[in-house]
Amino acid sequence: MREFTTSANVAKQDGGEKKLPDVPFKLDGVEMVCRAPKDAQLAYLMAAASSSRTEADQVAAVLDFFEQTLDRKSLAVFRKRLLNTEDEFDFTDAMGIFTHVCEEWSGRPIGSGSAS
């Protein structure tokens, strides 16, 4: 029988069940962590990335996703910077982080393969 596996990076929880890894990243030198999503959050992520959603819905879904997956410290930094009118950090930067996290979880680059 042929076996199919996903390309997602898989870690083991204490109970032995598979889960995606937490994804650490730095935002202007500040260490942040996007926690591994549970299955329902991952389904929400896939829906957020759907091309059938309006741009406004996609923005709302991505922000909701960050609200649920960033650890507490990271979320405080993310919110403060995103909502500060004098800070250069904007939604385009947040989307770059979102893309990075998705690539880490899927094991595949989302953008064009020509970036080096």
Side-chain angles (χ1 to χ4, degrees):
M1 176 180 288
R2 186 168 180 184
E3 181 178 343
F4 295 91
T5 58
T6 65
S7 63
N9 296 323
V10 177
K12 295 280 185 177
Q13 292 179 323
D14 290 339
E17 62 191 65
K18 295 179 181 180
K19 77 170 220 151
L20 295 170
D22 290 348
V23 178
F25 62 94
K26 285 188 178 180
L27 176 59
D28 294 328
V30 176
E31 291 184 21
M32 302 177 74
V33 176
C34 192
R35 296 172 308 200
K38 63 181 188 177
D39 289 345
Q41 289 171 312
L42 196 54
Y44 190 78
L45 166 65
M46 301 317 259
S50 171
S51 60
S52 65
R53 296 187 85 166
T54 67
E55 186 174 338
D57 284 345
Q58 288 177 352
V59 168
V62 167
L63 292 176
D64 285 345
F65 184 77
F66 276 126
E67 288 281 329
Q68 300 303 315
T69 58
L70 288 176
D71 70 7
R72 191 171 294 182
K73 177 184 154 204
S74 301
L75 182 57
V77 171
F78 183 85
R79 280 183 188 154
K80 181 178 180 182
R81 295 214 43 206
L82 195 60
L83 297 175
N84 182 344
T85 58
E86 296 176 7
D87 193 320
E88 295 292 322
F89 181 68
D90 207 350
F91 188 72
T92 302
D93 303 306
M95 281 302 297
I97 295 168
F98 180 78
T99 300
H100 167 70
V101 169
C102 291
E103 288 173 348
E104 287 296 311
W105 286 330
S106 71
R108 298 180 182 179
I110 291 174
S112 70
S114 62
S116 53

